[in-house]
């Protein structure tokens, strides 16, 4: 699983660099970007849950988070396909995607904080601090994005880039973690 995490982390960082350098194009393609990201994240989280659920404590949140990501990714794909064939719903699609993205940032922040607290209780590693800080930042950005959709619309490419970068760094950092927080 660590090899898959590393590969997804590298792809996330490459995607984040693209989003940071081309935020306008990222917004135009945001339906597909979110679809791919959430689909990969959902599949990886579900696979991690089923392969490690006997070894680790408190992994139910990871499984639920993965299922939620996969469902939202499929919904984003369906809506993106509908927007191609029915151009009049493009504006509604943009607003829906902004709201979904803001809610996803909040959910990802809560999940990251829960994960950091579980790692803190079960491990001597200090990596929980990074997950906690990133979780708090994601919640703040998500709440601000819901309150100011125009801001989120203008900077969604950058927001996706930052989110992908943090996700990629977390995945690559997981390579260097010892599995000390296994259930005894």
């Amino acid at each position: 699983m660590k090899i898959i995490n590393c590969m997804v982390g590298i792809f996330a960082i490459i995607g984040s660099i693209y989003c940071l350098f081309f935020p306008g194009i990222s917004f135009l393609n945001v339906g597909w970007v979110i679809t791919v990201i959430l689909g990969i994240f959902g599949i990886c989280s579900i696979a991690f849950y089923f392969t490690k659920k006997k070894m680790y404590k408190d992994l139910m949140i990871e499984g639920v988070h993965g299922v939620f990501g996969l469902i939202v990714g499929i919904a984003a794909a369906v809506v993106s396909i509908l927007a191609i064939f029915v151009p009049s719903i493009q504006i509604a699609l943009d607003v829906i995607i902004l709201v979904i993205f803001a809610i996803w940032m909040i959910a990802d922040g809560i999940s990251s904080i829960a994960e950091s607290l579980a790692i803190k209780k079960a491990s001597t590693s200090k990596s929980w601090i990074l997950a906690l800080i990133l979780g708090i930042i994601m919640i703040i950005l998500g709440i601000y994005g819901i309150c100011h959709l125009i801001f989120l619309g203008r900077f969604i490419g950058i927001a996706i880039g930052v989110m992908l970068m943090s996700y990629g760094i977390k995945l690559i950092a997981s390579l260097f973690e010892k599995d000390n927080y296994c259930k005894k």
Side-chain angles (χ1 to χ4, degrees):
M1 195 67 192
K2 286 188 175 193
I3 294 172
I4 293 173
N5 280 352
C6 182
M7 290 178 3
V8 172
I10 290 170
F11 287 132
I13 290 173
I14 291 170
S16 73
I17 292 169
Y18 175 80
C19 289
L20 290 171
F21 282 108
F22 303 106
I25 294 172
S26 298
F27 179 68
L28 294 175
N29 297 317
V30 75
W32 299 109
V33 171
I34 289 175
T35 299
V36 171
I37 291 168
L38 292 178
I40 290 172
F41 172 75
I43 291 169
C44 289
S45 293
I46 291 169
F48 179 76
Y49 171 73
F50 282 114
T51 58
K52 303 290 185 183
K53 71 180 178 181
K54 291 183 181 178
M55 290 175 56
Y56 296 102
K57 300 177 184 177
D58 304 327
L59 267 187
M60 183 58 84
I61 188 78
E62 188 72 24
V64 170
H65 196 190
V67 169
F68 179 69
L70 195 56
I71 289 170
V72 172
I74 291 169
V78 169
V79 172
S80 296
I81 291 169
L82 287 175
I84 291 172
F85 297 113
V86 184
S88 63
I89 67 167
Q90 185 65 40
I91 294 172
L93 169 69
D94 291 342
V95 172
I96 289 169
I97 286 176
L98 290 173
V99 171
I100 287 173
F101 185 72
I103 291 170
W104 180 258
M105 288 174 70
I106 293 169
D108 190 47
I110 291 169
S111 173
S112 184
I113 290 172
E115 178 184 335
S116 71
L117 295 176
I119 291 172
K120 180 185 178 191
K121 284 194 307 188
S123 175
T124 59
S125 173
K126 298 292 183 192
S127 67
W128 66 272
I129 297 171
L130 177 64
L132 179 69
I133 291 170
L134 292 174
I136 292 169
I137 290 170
M138 295 304 287
I139 290 173
I140 291 169
L141 288 176
I143 291 171
Y144 188 76
I146 285 177
C147 295
H148 302 283
L149 287 177
I150 293 173
F151 166 79
L152 192 59
R154 293 183 80 195
F155 297 103
I156 194 168
I158 294 169
I160 290 173
V162 169
M163 187 172 161
L164 278 175
M165 184 70 73
S166 68
Y167 183 63
I169 290 170
K170 273 193 335 188
L171 286 175
I172 291 174
S174 73
L175 283 175
F176 304 104
E177 287 295 311
K178 295 179 184 174
D179 290 336
N180 290 342
Y181 50 98
C182 289
K183 184 189 246 183
K184 301 276 188 219

